[in-house]
């Protein structure tokens, strides 16, 4: 039985550090049928690839929850899915409890075409369905038949967004409660004594109880640290940041509770000055404040993808039964004729069949100048029609649209891990256990050195709290999120964190010529007659032979013949010879059209035409030989013009210290002429499609880090072989699928921008990691009391808690500065 691999995204609530993410990742990877699991601390998501025959995705949620965290299915997609899936968002009146939601869910499962649903007891529903198998009205009627009232919900339902907002509200409430009780405690125990203000005697007598009453609600508010820290340790034998917080604050609180008990019993030698209630409470308050600020900052790192998701039109004007009908965008199906008026958003992807206009595609491509569109041109969903009106045929809807694919690519990239993150993950895995040992060692050292239990306890708590590895866990993924998001805004789709890291390591850029450096829309420049055939006959034979070809050179010949009014009939038979040309039959006449390699294969001597061919090739033209019934009859020269920014892109790459090579199946002279005009360092000419990847491999064998830039089907193997594959977005789906980076625009300067953005992102990651490591390296010895023998100063656990909380915020803030990145070309 064939293995069907699917990928699902699971939101995770309750992760407080990279150790949590590593723990969940290991547990998911251990599940039977799981091919790959990646847990990202910054995005708070798990991406799991699994065999559907071996495991159900619901198991992953249970695995996460068994570890003490909350989970929710953020979305899933099948590998190789071809059906268009639409989304229906409803408000269902009466669905206000779990039983109602379950009843409706079971009814919807029986409908053919319903792909999945998210139902919540606040009367909101999100239903994925195939519009070709089931209609919106059928879904609504099924719900009505159960006694509920379905209404169109204009608000965007996003299960993940709701959970995140709920988490933010919960953190905010906890933070205010903790601060509300901690601040009075702080004033009573720290501020007043600092300024020499004595407390009234009745307060002094009751201070232990007052401190207990103020601290206990804060400890309850921070209960999640104890739940996840102690539960996780007991369940998986894995210590996390929560373990450090729970041990540090728990020890201070329990110690203070015991001392309070001794004071109330009247034991001598104990006073409220020996209590640590304020330390435990203030630590929890500061950490909750840090978590709240961290959550807010995390939300900002995904702004780019939120902007993309908000671009989509809500409705479409379609022709149904010869009438113009406005329908929800979810009801548009492939083949629908859609009308777009001035100022409107284009709802889905398609091809114009009538009318013309200028379309603002800046939200997809980053290009500010509107693009002229006419009959036969493609339009992209979510772009804005500026002036004219037109009708287009829908070709891609739902999850298949360009916008949906871009969102999916960016989401996957943001959820992936860069190789550099392995360092932080490895350190985090060993860091917490080491800190526990260091804290205990510090406690025992000071205690046996003659210091009091309270002194040693201060050191113990300070070491535990200051060493939390949150900043290390956030250093890489937050910068990756910003980098990939910024790239998407500029029309550069970076498919993975690994690709983003690799881009700055590249030293050699290999460009395909036709359609990449050049426009790929060549024109016939010369027709040389070398037989009794007239010029028009040579062009007619060549056009008929090329009629079934999809090669840009063939299209140029056919276009030239049509423009000159020559009737181009169908060939009797046609055969493409990869990398050489083609052979065709026109009745009893055999036509061969191609390069020298084809003529050599057909045993047709080209010596007599070599001089004329070289003259044309030295002018940068591609020359094709036409042979009729085994005899050369003429030459057809075709010139492909360079893209406007090709030379500037090559110059900018040279400025970055990169070597630029052109690879092409074209002849050497033509390729060298193109190389001279753009300033390339070297040319690999007359390379057959199958050989392109081998040429890349040879460069890699010489120690080069190679990026391949291409656009065609024959570039796909080379794109896959290269260290970094870069596809032009206007190219074929196969090329785009094989690439690591996709340039939506046809502007080769974006190759330079992609490399520069990669360098900038890696610089930010290294800054983040440096400060995260430096903070912990310096913080732990200070917390352990290394300065005390020389200065008499001991780090307060409260200051340690504040420093730990704001270290994460500082790393996030550094990543957020990336939104101001400007391309320098």
């Amino acid at each position: 039985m064939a293995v069907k691999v699917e990928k699902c995204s699971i939101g995770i609530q309750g992760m407080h550090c990279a150790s949590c993410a590593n723990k969940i990742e290991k547990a998911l990877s251990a599940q039977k049928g799981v091919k790959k699991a990646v847990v990202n601390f910054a995005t708070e998501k798990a991406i799991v690839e699994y065999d559907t025959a071996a495991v159900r995705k619901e198991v992953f949620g249970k695995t996460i929850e068994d570890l003490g965290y909350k989970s929710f299915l953020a979305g899933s997609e099948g590998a190789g899915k071809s059906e268009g899936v639409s989304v229906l968002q409803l408000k269902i009146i009466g669905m206000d409890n779990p039983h109602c939601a379950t009843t409706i869910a079971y009814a919807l499962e029986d409908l053919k075409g319903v792909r999945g649903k998210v139902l919540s007891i606040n009367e909101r529903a999100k239903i994925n369905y195939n519009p070709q198998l089931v209609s919106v009205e059928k879904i609504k009627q099924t719900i009505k038949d159960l006694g509920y009232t379905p209404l169109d919900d204009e608000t965007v339902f996003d299960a993940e967004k709701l959970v995140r907002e709920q988490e933010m509200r919960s953190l905010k409430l906890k933070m205010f409660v903790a601060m509300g009780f901690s601040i009075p405690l702080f004033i009573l125990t720290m501020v007043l004594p600092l300024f020499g203000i004595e407390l009234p005697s009745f307060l002094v007598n009751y201070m232990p109880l007052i401190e207990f009453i103020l601290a206990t609600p804060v400890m309850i508010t921070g209960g999640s640290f104890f739940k996840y820290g102690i539960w996780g340790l007991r369940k998986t034998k894995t210590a996390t940041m929560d373990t450090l917080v729970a041990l540090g604050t728990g020890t201070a609180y329990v110690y203070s509770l015991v001392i309070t008990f001794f004071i109330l019993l009247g034991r001598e030698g104990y006073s409220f000055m020996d209590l640590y209630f304020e330390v435990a409470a203030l630590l929890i308050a500061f950490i909750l404040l840090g978590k709240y600020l961290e959550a807010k900052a995390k939300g900002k790192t995904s702004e780019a993808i939120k902007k993309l998701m908000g671009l989509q039109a809500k409705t479409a004007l379609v022709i149904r039964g010869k009438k113009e009908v406005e329908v929800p965008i979810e009801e548009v199906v492939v083949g629908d004729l859609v009308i777009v008026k001035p100022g409107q958003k284009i709802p889905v992807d398609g091809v114009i069949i009538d009318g013309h206009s200028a379309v603002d595609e800046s939200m997809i491509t980053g290009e500010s100048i509107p693009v002229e569109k006419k009959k036969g041109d493609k339009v992209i969903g979510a772009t804005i029609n500026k002036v004219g009106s037109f009708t287009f045929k829908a070709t891609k809807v739902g999850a298949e649209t360009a916008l949906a694919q871009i969102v999916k690519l960016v989401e996957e990239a943001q959820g992936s891990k860069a190789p550099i993150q392995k360092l932080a993950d490895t350190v985090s895995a060993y860091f917490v256990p080491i800190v526990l040992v260091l804290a205990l060692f510090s406690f025992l050292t000071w205690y046996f050195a003659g210091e009091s239990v309270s002194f040693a306890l201060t050191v113990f708590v300070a070491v535990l709290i200051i060493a939390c590895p949150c900043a290390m866990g956030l250093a890489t993924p937050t910068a990756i999120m910003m980098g990939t998001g910024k790239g998407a805004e500029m029309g550069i789709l970076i498919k993975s964190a690994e690709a983003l890291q690799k881009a700055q390591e590249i030293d050699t850029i290999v460009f395909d010529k036709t359609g990449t450096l050049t426009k790929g829309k060549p024109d016939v420049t010369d027709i040389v007659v070398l037989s009794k055939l007239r010029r028009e006959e040579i062009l007619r034979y060549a056009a008929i032979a090329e009629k079934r070809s999809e090669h840009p050179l063939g299209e140029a010949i056919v276009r030239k013949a049509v423009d000159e009014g020559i009737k181009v009939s169908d060939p009797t038979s046609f055969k493409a010879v990869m990398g050489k040309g083609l052979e065709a039959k026109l009745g009893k006449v055999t036509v061969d059209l191609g390069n020298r390699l084809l003529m050599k294969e057909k045993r047709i001597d080209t010596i007599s035409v070599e001089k004329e061919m070289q003259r044309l090739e030295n002018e940068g033209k591609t020359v094709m030989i036409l042979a009729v019934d085994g005899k050369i009859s003429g030459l057809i020269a075709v010139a492909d013009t360079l893209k406007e920014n090709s030379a500037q892109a090559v110059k900018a790459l040279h400025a970055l210290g990169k070597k630029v090579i052109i690879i092409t199946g074209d002849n050497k002279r033509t390729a060298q002429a193109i190389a001279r005009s753009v300033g390339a360092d070297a040319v690999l000419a007359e390379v057959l499609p199958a050989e392109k990847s081998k040429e890349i491999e040879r460069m890699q064998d010489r120690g080069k880090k190679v990026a391949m830039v291409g656009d065609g089907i024959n570039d796909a193997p080379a794109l896959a072989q290269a260290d970094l594959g870069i596809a032009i977005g206007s190219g074929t789906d196969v090329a785009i699928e094989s690439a690591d980076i996709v340039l939506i625009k046809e502007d080769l300067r974006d190759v330079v921008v992609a490399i520069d953005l990669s360098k900038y992102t890696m610089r930010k990651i290294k800054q983040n990691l440096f400060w995260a490591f430096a903070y912990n390296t310096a913080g732990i010895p200070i917390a352990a009391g290394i300065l005390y023998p020389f200065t008499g100063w001991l780090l307060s656990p409260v200051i340690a808690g504040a420093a730990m909380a704001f270290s994460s915020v500082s790393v996030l803030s550094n990543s957020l500065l990336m939104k101001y990145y400007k391309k320098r070309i």
Side-chain angles (χ1 to χ4, degrees), residues 702-749:
R702 295 197 298 270
K704 300 294 183 184
K705 295 286 185 182
V706 185
M708 171 72 191
V709 186
D711 75 321
I713 290 174
N714 59 11
D715 296 325
L719 288 168
Q721 174 63 43
D723 296 287
L724 186 74
I726 303 176
I728 305 296
S730 57
T732 65
D733 290 340
V734 177
I736 291 170
E737 193 66 32
S738 305
D740 301 299
I741 295 176
V742 179
L743 309 179
I744 299 177
K745 304 195 295 283
E746 294 188 51
D747 192 337
L748 291 183
R749 291 177 299 179

Side-chain angles (χ1 to χ4, degrees), residues 234-484:
R234 184 168 64 87
K235 191 83 175 174
T236 64
K237 307 295 186 292
T238 305
T240 67
M241 182 211 102
D242 295 324
T243 309
L244 299 181
V245 174
L247 285 174
T249 58
T251 302
Y253 181 79
V254 171
Y255 175 81
S256 301
L257 208 58
V258 172
I259 298 298
T260 300
F261 186 66
F262 288 164
I263 292 171
L264 293 176
L265 289 177
R267 283 198 182 184
E268 291 185 6
Y270 296 101
S271 74
F272 74 91
M273 297 301 291
D274 296 317
L275 301 178
Y276 277 80
F277 281 125
E278 79 282 358
V279 170
L282 281 166
L283 281 175
I284 293 286
F286 275 128
I287 292 166
L288 285 172
L289 173 62
K291 285 291 162 195
Y292 174 67
L293 295 174
E294 187 181 303
K296 284 191 76 173
K298 277 184 187 176
K300 290 180 181 177
T301 59
S302 58
E303 275 180 358
I305 203 162
K306 287 175 186 173
K307 283 181 189 174
L308 287 171
M309 293 174 77
L311 293 174
Q312 195 174 37
K314 300 292 186 291
T315 60
L317 190 63
V318 300
I319 299 173
R320 296 268 169 90
K322 297 184 179 180
K323 289 183 180 179
E324 294 181 11
V325 183
E326 189 169 18
V327 299
I329 192 169
E330 294 81 18
E331 292 187 22
V332 179
V333 297
V334 173
D336 268 343
L337 298 182
V338 185
I339 299 169
V340 184
K341 296 178 180 178
Q344 289 184 339
K345 280 187 179 179
I346 297 170
V348 296
D349 297 2
V351 178
I352 295 176
I353 61 169
D354 184 45
H356 58 86
S357 183
V359 176
D360 178 3
E361 296 184 341
S362 59
M363 63 284 299
I364 301 292
T365 66
E367 182 59 59
S368 58
I369 301 170
V371 181
E372 294 294 325
K373 298 287 182 179
K374 60 185 184 303
K375 184 178 178 180
D377 287 343
K378 293 178 180 178
V379 289
I380 305 170
T383 55
I384 300 171
N385 181 33
K386 300 298 284 185
V387 287
S389 296
F390 58 86
T391 302
F392 74 92
K393 185 177 182 180
T395 56
K396 291 182 180 178
V397 300
E400 303 302 315
T401 63
L403 178 64
Q405 292 297 308
I406 289 169
V407 169
K408 186 190 82 170
L409 280 175
V410 176
E411 278 185 329
E412 288 184 359
Q414 292 185 341
S416 62
K417 287 187 178 182
I420 196 172
Q421 192 172 338
K422 290 176 183 175
L423 172 64
D425 287 348
T426 303
V427 171
S428 294
Y430 295 101
F431 195 74
V432 175
I434 290 170
V435 169
L436 287 170
V437 172
L438 286 174
L440 187 60
F441 176 77
S442 301
F443 175 87
L444 294 172
T445 300
W446 286 112
Y447 179 72
F448 287 112
E451 296 293 342
S452 66
V453 172
S454 61
F455 183 98
L457 186 67
T458 299
V459 172
F460 176 75
V461 175
V463 171
L464 285 178
I465 296 303
I466 203 165
C468 293
C470 299
M472 279 189 281
L474 291 168
T476 301
T478 52
I480 293 294
M481 288 174 74
M482 291 300 295
T484 51

Side-chain angles (χ1 to χ4, degrees), residues 81 83-90 108 111-118 125-140 152 314 320 327-333 397-399:
K81 180 177 69 179
E83 294 177 295
V85 176
S86 296
V87 180
L88 174 63
Q89 294 161 161
L90 297 172
L108 292 176
L111 290 178
K112 185 180 180 182
V114 172
R115 292 284 179 262
K117 62 261 166 223
V118 178
K126 176 185 176 184
I127 302 164
N128 296 328
Y129 71 101
N130 185 338
Q132 295 177 331
L133 298 177
V134 63
S135 68
V136 171
E137 289 308 315
K138 179 69 176 172
I139 294 171
K140 288 181 180 178
D152 288 326
K314 300 292 186 291
R320 296 268 169 90
V327 299
I329 192 169
E330 294 81 18
E331 292 187 22
V332 179
V333 297
V397 300

Side-chain angles (χ1 to χ4, degrees), residues 513 525-526 528 553 580 594-597 599 606 609-625 635-640 664-677 683 685-686:
K513 182 178 79 70
T525 56
D526 301 84
V528 182
L553 300 180
K580 298 175 183 177
N595 56 25
R596 294 174 178 85
L597 293 174
M599 296 302 129
T606 59
V609 296
E610 195 61 40
K611 188 175 180 181
E612 183 65 14
M613 286 182 69
Q614 289 180 18
R615 180 185 70 80
L616 293 168
E617 287 167 352
N618 287 332
E619 294 173 6
K621 297 169 183 176
T622 300
V623 184
M624 285 174 282
I625 306 165
L635 303 176
I636 297 180
V638 178
D640 189 2
T664 179
D666 216 333
N667 68 81
K668 202 168 186 177
R669 288 187 184 82
T670 303
Q672 286 175 337
I674 293 291
R676 284 193 297 272
S677 57
V683 175
E686 298 175 13

Side-chain angles (χ1 to χ4, degrees), residues 206-249:
Y206 290 103
M207 268 303 286
L209 282 176
I210 292 170
E211 288 190 39
F212 169 74
I213 291 168
L214 288 172
T216 301
V218 181
M219 299 303 289
I220 294 169
T221 303
S224 61
F225 295 114
F226 298 92
K227 176 186 173 183
Y228 295 130
I230 306 304
W231 176 275
L233 193 60
R234 184 168 64 87
K235 191 83 175 174
T236 64
K237 307 295 186 292
T238 305
T240 67
M241 182 211 102
D242 295 324
T243 309
L244 299 181
V245 174
L247 285 174
T249 58

